[in-house]
Amino acid sequence: MTALEDITRDEASLTRFLHGLPGVDAVGLEQRAAGLATRSIKKASKRTAIDLAISMVDLTTLEGADTAGKVRTLCAKARRPDPDYPEVPSVGAVCVYPDLAGLAVGELEGTGVGVASVATAFPAGRAARAVKLADVATAVEAGASEVDMVIDRGAFLSGNYGLVFEEIREVKRACGTAHLKVILETGELATYDNARRASWLALLAGADFVKTSTGKVSPAATLPVTHVLLQAVADWHALTGQLRGVKPAGGIRDTKTAIRYLVAVREVAGEQWLDPALFRFGASSLLNDLLMQRRTQFDGHYSGPDYVTVD
Amino acid sequence: MSMEWEYAPAPENRDIARLKSEYRMFLDGEFVEGAGPGLKSINPATEEVLADVSTAAPSDVDTAVAAARRAQDKVWGPMPGAERAKYIFRIARMIAERSRELAVLETLDNGKPIKESRDSDIPTAAAHFFYHAGWADKLDYAGFGPDPRPLGVAAQVIPWNFPLLMAAWKIAPALACGNTVVLKPAETTPLTALVFAEICAEAGLPPGVVNILPGAGDIGAELVGHAGVDKVAFTGSTEVGKQIQRTLAGTGRKLTLELGGKAANIVFEDAPIDQAVEGIVNGIFFNQGHVCCAGSRLLVQESVADEVLGKLRTRIGRLRIGDPLDKNTDVGAINSAEQLARIRELTSSGEVEGADRWTSPCPLPDKGFFFAPTVFSQVSQSMRIAREEIFGPVLSVLSFRTPDEAVAKANNTPYGLSAGIWTEKGSRILWAAQRMRAGVVWANTFNRFDPAAPFGGYQESGFGREGGRTGLEAYLDV
C-alpha cells in the first residue's frame, strides 16, 4: 500500500484510495453479522460482559430540553450506576452538548469518568466551518476530554472527500489533547461501501474513534455497519500499528444487543478492543437494562425497573 | 486496559435428543430386528457408544424391496398426488416440530456443531419435504409431459456428512413423484434416519412406502444391485459410485450419482475481500470440511494473495473448535477415526510434497476425533492436496495471474461439483460462471442450499440433479 502521506496528498489521490478499497458485499456482511449474533453468552461470561459493557457506556443526553439539573443527575448516575452495588464500574463518559460540558466536567472531576461533548453543529453539521470550530472550542475550553464531531455528509455524498478530510483535520487540531470521535452518520451514507470509505477517511484525518451515528437519524447503529467500522480499525492497526476505537450509537437499548456488539468486537476487531479506551456504546436507556440484568445475575432473580434509578 | 472475556461453555442439553439405547430398522411400517450383525453408533466427539443399532442382512433387503414394491403397486403409486402431498406436508411439519431433538441427536451421532445441525441441517431437511410436497399434485405441469409416471421402487444410499438432510434430499422427491423407498443410512450415522422412520410411522405413512435399513457397505451393495428396484440414487465417494455404475450397466435401471468434489473458490482482485474471507472459511470449514461441494481449493489472484492469506489466518485463528454440543462451537469433530486417519495421511503428503502448512493454534479436546483447521499455501496443481478430495478442514491455496488462468486451474480436476466466484464486477461473474465445469456455481457466497435449486455434478462428481424442478426428473419415467 502507498504511504499514508501519498494517499492524503490531494483530493484526487484520496478519492483514488477510497474508491480502491475492497467493496463490501451486503449479503455476506449481514449473514456474518447474523451468524455471530447467535453466540450464546451465559453465566460468568455474561456477568463479565455486563460489567465490561457498563464501563463502555457513553451515558448520553442530547435534547433541546437538557438542563443543568438533568446533567447533574446523569453525572451522578455515571459515577455510581447502581448505589446498592458499589462495585459496579462507572461508565466510560457522559455525553452532552457543549454548553453543558463545563457543568459535567465539574460534576465528574476526579472520578475517572470522561466528558464527551458533541460539536460541529451536531447533529446536522450544516453550519459554516468557523461556527463548527467555535463549537469545538467551546467544548474543549469547558474541559471536555472527548469531542464527538459529525462529518459533512453532503460533501461526502457529493464526492467532495477533500473537504470532509480537511474539516476533520481542523477539528482534530482544535481538539488539542481531547480525543476525537468522528460520527459518520451511516444511516445517511446508506451503503456499506460508503461506511467503509468514510471510516478510512476519518482514520486518515486523525480520528481517535469512528462512530456510527448521531442517534437522531434512522437507522442508527446496526450490527453489520458496526462490523464494517470494526474491520476498518483492525485493518488500520494492521497497516499502521495504531489503535483506534469504534463507537456504535443509537438504538442499543438492552443487554442482549450490547453483548452481541461485544461478540462482534471480540471476533471482528480482536480481543484488544475489549477496552473502554477502544470501544464505547453511545446510549441512554442501555445502562439501566445492563444494571437490571446484572442484578438478575447476582441476585438470582429478576427485580424489575423500580429497583434501578431513573435519572 | 482491555479485559479478559472468554465465552463460558454453553452446551445444549443432550437429553433433548431422547437417545435410546437401541434402535431397530424400519421395514414395511414396523420397527424390526434385522438379521445383520448389528452395529454400535458412537459419538465422534467423545468416542462413547451412543446406541446399539440392528442392521439388515441380504434377506432383509429382499423383504424391504418386496414391501416397497407392494406399497408402490397397491397404495402409493395409485394415490392421487394431492393425497400424497398431505403425507409429505405432515412429515415436513413433524420434522420442524421435532427439530431440536433431531438437531441434538444429529450432533451427537455425527460430531457436527449444534449451531449447524440446528440452523442448517434440520431446517433444510424440513424445507425439502415442504418444497416437494408442493410438487406432488402439480407434476403434470413440471414440464415432463402430461401425467408423468413414477419409476417404482427407489434404492437410496446416503453418506454420513449430512445424515438427515441427505435422507430428505433423497426421500422427498421420490415420494412426491409416487415412488417408494428403501434407504440405507451411513454406517456411522444411522440414528436420525431411524427417528425419521418414527416420524413416518406417526404420520400414518402407509407401510412399505419408506423403509430404512441400517448396515455397512455390503448391505448398500446388496440394495443397489437388487433386481427388484427400478431406480438407484447414491451419494458418497467416487470410488463406490463407479462400482455402482458398473453393477447397473445394462440393467436398464435408472441411476443418479452425487459423488466427490475438489471445488475451486476463485477470489479475484476486485473481490469484496472481507466477505470473500468469510466465504472461504464457510466453504472449507463448514461441517469440518465434510462437504462434497466444499471449497477445498482456494484460487486467489496474486495481487491480493498476501492480503487474503493474512486475513484468512486471523479469521481461522478465531474459529472455536471443540464440543459439538456447545452452541458457540464453530468446528466440531471429525466423523470417524477412519476419516481422521485419511485427513492426516493427505495432510502429511502436502508437507512432504513441499507445500507450506499453517495450522490454527486453537486448543483441541483430549478425547474424540478432532483436527485443527489447516491451510496449505504454495500449493501446485500437481500435489495430492490439490487433486484429491480430503473431506476435512484442510484448505489448499493456489494463486493465479489472469482470469483465464483462474478458469483453467479451476477446471483442471476430474471432479466438477461446485465452484465459487468472488468479484464485485458483475460481468466477471457471468464470464467466469459460463466457463466453470461445475454443477453449482456460487457468486459472492458459498455453500448455500435451497430445495428449489438443483444440485449435482460433472464428470467424476456424478450425474443427475437433486432439488428443484430438474430434480424431479430423476424420479419420473420420462
Side-chain angles (χ1 to χ4, degrees), chain A residues 22-25 27-29 31-32 38-46 48-49 51-52 193 196 231 235 259 262-263 266-272 274-276, chain B residues 1-11 115 118-119 270-275 278 282 307 311 315 318-320 326-330 422 424 444-446 448:
Chain A
V24 181
D25 183 76
V27 174
L29 173 67
Q31 194 182 1
R32 164 81 169 136
T38 68
R39 290 284 192 228
S40 176
I41 307 299
K42 300 275 187 257
K43 302 191 178 106
S45 129
K46 184 168 182 179
T48 308
D51 280 359
L52 185 58
D193 287 338
R196 163 169 288 181
Q231 189 67 55
D235 291 344
I259 290 177
L262 292 182
V263 166
R266 190 179 191 277
E267 301 202 35
V268 178
E271 287 173 82
Q272 219 173 344
L274 290 170
D275 182 342
Chain B
M1 264 303 286
S2 73
M3 203 154 157
E4 286 290 313
W5 181 47
E6 288 299 327
Y7 304 158
K115 77 167 185 186
R118 177 194 68 200
D119 298 342
D270 51 7
I273 299 287
D274 295 318
Q275 287 71 49
E278 287 306 312
N282 178 33
E307 185 185 357
K311 287 193 162 209
R315 174 70 179 88
R318 288 181 186 148
L319 287 171
R320 306 172 65 84
D326 193 305
K327 293 171 202 159
N328 295 327
T329 292
D330 297 315
W422 295 85
E424 285 270 282
N444 292 337
T445 189
F446 209 91
R448 292 265 259 196

Side-chain angles (χ1 to χ4, degrees), chain B residues 152-170:
Chain B
V153 175
Q156 305 178 324
V157 176
I158 58 170
W160 46 260
N161 56 344
F162 296 94
L164 184 70
L165 181 56
M166 287 301 108
W169 277 32
K170 295 275 183 284

Side-chain angles (χ1 to χ4, degrees), chain B residues 61-128:
Chain B
V61 176
D62 292 335
T63 316
V65 171
R69 172 66 61 202
R70 246 186 343 266
Q72 211 279 329
D73 282 348
K74 302 271 189 306
V75 187
W76 197 249
M79 187 184 285
E83 290 299 309
R84 288 201 306 270
K86 287 183 190 170
Y87 288 102
I88 305 170
F89 274 124
R90 198 177 299 153
I91 290 169
R93 284 196 301 272
M94 290 172 76
I95 292 173
E97 282 159 12
R98 293 174 73 171
S99 58
R100 220 171 144 207
E101 172 194 348
L102 286 163
V104 177
L105 186 63
E106 196 77 300
T107 285
L108 285 173
D109 201 19
N110 169 280
K112 64 175 64 204
I114 185 73
K115 77 167 185 186
E116 288 179 11
S117 51
R118 177 194 68 200
D119 298 342
S120 176
D121 287 58
I122 311 301
T124 315
H128 269 265

Side-chain angles (χ1 to χ4, degrees), chain B residues 14 40-51 104-113 160-161 163 187-191 287-288 290 322-325 331-340 344 365-371:
Chain B
R14 63 175 282 161
K40 290 183 189 301
S41 199
I42 67 159
N43 179 347
T46 60
E47 302 175 51
E48 60 167 329
V49 173
L50 290 171
V104 177
L105 186 63
E106 196 77 300
T107 285
L108 285 173
D109 201 19
N110 169 280
K112 64 175 64 204
W160 46 260
N161 56 344
E187 197 181 354
T188 59
T189 56
L191 302 187
N287 202 28
Q288 297 72 248
H290 301 329
D323 179 7
L325 276 178
V331 180
I334 301 302
N335 181 249
S336 64
E338 186 190 353
Q339 186 59 25
L340 183 60
R344 286 189 174 142
D366 306 328
K367 275 188 305 185
F369 313 133
F370 288 91
F371 193 87

Side-chain angles (χ1 to χ4, degrees), chain A residues 106-122:
Chain A
E107 292 290 319
L108 293 170
E109 206 171 352
T111 62
V113 179
V115 173
S117 174
V118 295
T120 68
F122 179 94

Side-chain angles (χ1 to χ4, degrees), chain A residues 20-269:
Chain A
L21 288 167
V24 181
D25 183 76
V27 174
L29 173 67
E30 286 166 10
Q31 194 182 1
R32 164 81 169 136
L36 262 191
T38 68
R39 290 284 192 228
S40 176
I41 307 299
K42 300 275 187 257
K43 302 191 178 106
S45 129
K46 184 168 182 179
R47 291 194 287 271
T48 308
I50 289 172
D51 280 359
L52 185 58
I54 291 171
S55 73
M56 289 169 162
V57 167
D58 276 4
L59 193 60
T60 302
T61 185
L62 294 169
E63 290 163 21
D66 284 346
T67 58
K70 167 79 184 173
V71 172
R72 259 185 224 111
T73 55
L74 203 68
C75 290
K77 178 88 171 178
R79 282 195 303 267
R80 182 180 271 202
D82 191 339
D84 292 343
Y85 290 83
E87 75 279 11
V88 173
S90 48
V91 303
V94 160
C95 184
V96 293
Y97 272 112
D99 58 329
L100 292 164
L103 178 72
V105 169
E107 292 290 319
L108 293 170
E109 206 171 352
T111 62
V113 179
V115 173
S117 174
V118 295
T120 68
F122 179 94
R126 296 252 68 84
R129 177 79 54 90
V131 176
K132 293 184 188 180
L133 291 173
D135 208 15
V136 175
T138 310
V140 172
E141 281 159 22
S145 51
E146 304 169 11
V147 170
D148 290 28
M149 73 169 287
V150 292
I151 65 163
D152 185 339
R153 283 87 77 188
F156 182 92
L157 289 171
S158 57
N160 204 342
Y161 300 130
L163 195 145
V164 182
F165 177 81
E166 278 311 318
E167 191 163 286
I168 298 172
R169 276 224 160 153
E170 284 188 36
V171 171
K172 173 72 181 169
R173 269 195 292 274
C175 281
T177 56
H179 273 234
L180 175 63
K181 304 197 197 92
V182 177
I183 302 172
L184 311 176
E185 197 66 298
T186 51
E188 289 185 349
L189 301 185
T191 68
Y192 296 124
D193 287 338
N194 276 346
R196 163 169 288 181
R197 287 171 185 164
S199 298
W200 275 90
L201 182 60
L203 294 169
L204 284 163
D208 297 300
F209 262 73
V210 282
K211 175 174 168 185
T212 58
S213 327
T214 58
K216 307 289 183 193
V217 164
S218 182
T222 65
L223 269 175
V225 89
T226 305
H227 274 234
V228 173
L229 271 57
L230 287 166
Q231 189 67 55
V233 295
D235 291 344
W236 179 266
H237 178 249
L239 183 70
T240 66
Q242 299 168 5
L243 287 164
R244 306 283 179 89
V246 173
K247 177 177 170 185
I252 304 164
R253 294 192 181 86
D254 57 37
T255 303
K256 200 173 183 174
T257 311
I259 290 177
R260 286 179 179 160
Y261 277 85
L262 292 182
V263 166
V265 171
R266 190 179 191 277
E267 301 202 35
V268 178

